[in-house]
Amino acid sequence: MDYAGQIFAGVLVMASAKMAARIAADLPEIDVPSELIVAFEHDPDAGVNAALELVAGIRRSGAFDGAHLVPVGRYQQVATLMRERDPSS
């Protein structure tokens, strides 16, 4: 089957250490770095930062037409940090 549409990568923004640990335990097909879970102890925006790093890597790779962010209640933090990193976005 041929598909001529766009393909977007899905990026889930982890909202907390508890969420990240639960996803790591319950969904083995999703890789949640243990460093991310630890990072939440010192930075409540650790999940947002990790998601934006993933998006930047997706952009650089050219493998997808874009990324779909699932911010899980972190809409403001995602928007603010995206503007700070790339004012044109």
Side-chain angles (χ1 to χ4, degrees):
M1 173 167 75
D2 292 333
Y3 178 74
Q6 294 182 316
I7 305 292
F8 291 83
V11 177
L12 178 64
V13 179
M14 300 291 170
S16 66
K18 182 178 177 180
M19 176 187 183
R22 186 178 69 243
I23 288 175
D26 295 347
L27 301 169
E29 61 274 7
I30 297 178
D31 182 30
V32 179
S34 58
E35 298 84 24
L36 174 60
I37 298 168
V38 172
F40 275 108
E41 294 176 16
H42 307 287
D43 181 7
D45 287 329
V48 176
N49 290 319
L52 294 179
E53 288 175 21
L54 281 172
V55 169
I58 290 166
R59 279 182 164 174
R60 285 189 304 272
S61 78
F64 296 91
D65 295 302
H68 172 77
L69 282 165
V70 182
V72 190
R74 296 284 184 146
Y75 299 96
Q76 289 297 338
Q77 293 94 333
V78 169
T80 298
L81 290 173
M82 283 182 75
R83 279 192 295 273
E84 287 174 2
R85 290 180 184 199
D86 184 4
S88 66
S89 63

